Amino acid sequence: MKFCRRLAVAATVTVATPVALITAAPAFAAGTPAGPTQNQPTYAELTQAATDAQKAYDAAVTAATEGRKELDATLKALDSDAHPLKAAVIAATKTAKEAAAAKDAAEKAVTDAEAKLEAAQSDTEKAEAQKALEAAEGELAKAIAAEQVADAAAEQAGTALGDARVAAVRKYHQIQQALEKARAAKEAADKALATAKQCVREDGLTSLAVGLPAEVAAGSTVDFTLRVTNGTQRTLAVDPLVFFHEAGKGGGVKDPLKVEWSNGPIWQTLNGEGPEHIARIEAMKPGEHSDVKLRMTVDPGAKDSDAFALLAGDASDAYNPCVLGPMKRYDFKLTPAGGKTDPVDDAKPGDPGRNDDERPGAAQPGKGSGLSAQGGASQQVTTTTATGSGTHGSLAATGSSSAMTPIALTSAATVVLGAGLVVGARRRRFTGEV
């Protein structure tokens, strides 16, 4: 399936021109928002319709091929003297020619008889010449009638042969018309299916981190939650997408972040090499949410650096195989071992909006270096008291904040790298690529 959110930069992009990269790849090209589905065919129905239309078209192509062969064979046969209709034309034409010759002979006989009558001297000669003329005129009448019958028969035979040719051509023309109708139906079915395959945006499908600190000390472990909420009006099958990465780390470099997830008694570890889909939710009804437990351990040798998490929901329903929730980016700080800050409440992400996939945290050319708030609403980090897994830290901000300005200066190439990896993961989710 063609993945409709495109970035101009792949995951293997280098750090040569970070500003240009940010300009080239700020966002996905969002599909048409998913609207009401009443009276719409389901994706399964569209797929079946496309399959049926293809079969009908293939059958029509075969019929047209066979029809052309039949037409050529029929026309060839009709042109053969051995064909009954052609033989009838030949015989009728011969009879008509013979009748015309007989009429010409009868006309000459009448002319000769008239000449003899003119030359007769005696009454006896005149009487005999008159009798001969009347006989010749009788034969001429018969010859004319015979010629008319022969001409009609010849015309009828020719018409029958012509009708056979026309019928053969008309039959093939009908086959061609059926082929064109099948082609049009196939194209319409393919177009409808292709439209359904296009990825659509559902801002109501949110994926948020609950309890992710804004600062995490090296050697510590923090527990938090990924909450996926179906704020749409349809039941969805959801594949949450997660990606955690230390800023500035390129491919092949070990990431100091070990992230595990669980939606039951067993913990599973992310491979850390790229974004992954976790904890599939087969049927999430409208208004429902699902919580996935996450656990992040920072390597004891981690240095003071920036990191980020990207969260999104990839889904499907009966009408669209590719439904994409908005991407959320959480920036947080890695501090040296032993570092601690005052804990704060959970961060409050901005409402989903068209800028969600612009990867907040990256400086936009001409817009300054501050973070762009998700959903376009600025936020300030507040400080209160909280506890969690024996580790102290500020929860990660997801919007604009003067306290987060240093993170906004994170390497542009790292932002593009993360975005490119996410695109690849989401592409594989809907195309089956490996």
Side-chain angles (χ1 to χ4, degrees), residues 354-355 358 363-372:
R354 63 182 181 84
N355 293 325
E358 292 188 4
Q364 300 295 313
K367 297 182 181 180
S369 60
L371 290 172
S372 60

Side-chain angles (χ1 to χ4, degrees), residues 67-402:
R68 182 68 204 193
K69 292 179 181 178
E70 181 181 350
L71 173 62
D72 292 342
T74 299
L75 294 179
K76 182 178 180 180
L78 290 173
D79 286 337
S80 171
D81 292 349
H83 193 281
L85 293 178
K86 183 66 177 293
V89 169
I90 293 174
T93 300
K94 180 181 179 183
T95 300
K97 289 181 178 180
E98 291 174 349
K103 186 199 70 170
D104 291 343
E107 288 178 341
K108 186 175 184 305
V110 169
T111 300
D112 292 343
E114 289 175 341
K116 287 183 179 180
L117 181 58
E118 284 283 337
Q121 298 296 322
S122 63
D123 291 340
T124 300
E125 291 178 346
K126 289 181 179 180
E128 291 177 353
Q130 182 63 41
K131 184 177 180 179
L133 176 60
E134 291 175 355
E137 290 175 341
E139 292 299 322
L140 176 59
K142 292 179 181 180
I144 292 174
E147 182 185 41
Q148 290 175 342
V149 172
D151 287 345
E155 182 178 0
Q156 184 176 3
T159 299
L161 179 60
D163 288 346
R165 289 195 177 101
V166 170
V169 173
R170 181 179 291 116
K171 180 179 179 181
Y172 179 64
H173 178 65
Q174 291 174 342
I175 294 175
Q176 284 185 308
Q177 287 183 317
L179 174 60
E180 291 306 313
K181 289 180 65 176
R183 189 198 313 278
K186 174 185 175 300
E187 290 175 351
D190 288 345
K191 182 177 180 180
L193 181 60
T195 299
K197 286 181 177 180
Q198 292 178 354
C199 294
V200 296
R201 282 290 303 272
E202 267 291 10
D203 287 342
L205 177 60
T206 59
S207 301
L208 306 176
V210 180
L212 174 63
E215 293 188 10
V216 185
S220 63
T221 297
V222 294
D223 291 294
F224 54 101
T225 301
L226 166 63
R227 170 160 292 187
V228 181
T229 302
N230 182 7
T232 75
Q233 298 179 357
R234 305 197 307 277
T235 297
L236 300 174
V238 184
D239 286 302
L241 183 73
V242 298
F243 181 46
F244 292 80
H245 190 66
E246 180 185 14
K249 294 291 186 181
V253 179
K254 182 180 179 182
D255 200 301
L257 304 179
K258 176 185 176 182
V259 181
E260 301 171 280
W261 66 274
S262 173
N263 58 354
I266 300 176
W267 285 90
Q268 301 182 53
T269 303
L270 300 179
N271 61 30
E273 297 177 357
E276 297 177 55
H277 289 103
I278 64 173
R280 178 177 175 82
I281 307 156
E282 293 294 344
M284 180 178 284
K285 296 180 180 179
E288 288 186 342
H289 72 267
S290 179
D291 289 343
V292 183
K293 292 183 290 185
L294 292 172
R295 174 185 296 164
M296 182 173 65
T297 301
V298 183
D299 188 275
K303 304 300 182 182
D304 187 15
S305 61
D306 298 322
F308 63 88
L310 297 177
L311 309 175
D314 294 340
S316 62
D317 66 5
Y319 302 92
N320 296 94
C322 179
V323 179
L324 304 178
M327 181 71 66
K328 291 295 183 183
R329 177 186 170 95
Y330 289 80
D331 294 285
F332 55 94
K333 191 84 172 176
L334 301 182
T335 60
K340 55 170 71 171
T341 59
D342 292 332
V344 297
D345 286 337
D346 291 358
K348 303 297 190 297
D351 293 333
R354 63 182 181 84
N355 293 325
D356 284 346
D357 292 333
E358 292 188 4
R359 309 296 186 258
Q364 300 295 313
K367 297 182 181 180
S369 60
L371 290 172
S372 60
Q374 298 189 18
S378 297
Q379 289 183 322
Q380 298 294 325
V381 176
T382 59
T383 302
T384 57
T385 301
T387 60
S389 302
T391 300
H392 299 288
S394 300
L395 296 180
T398 60
S400 177
S401 167
S402 58

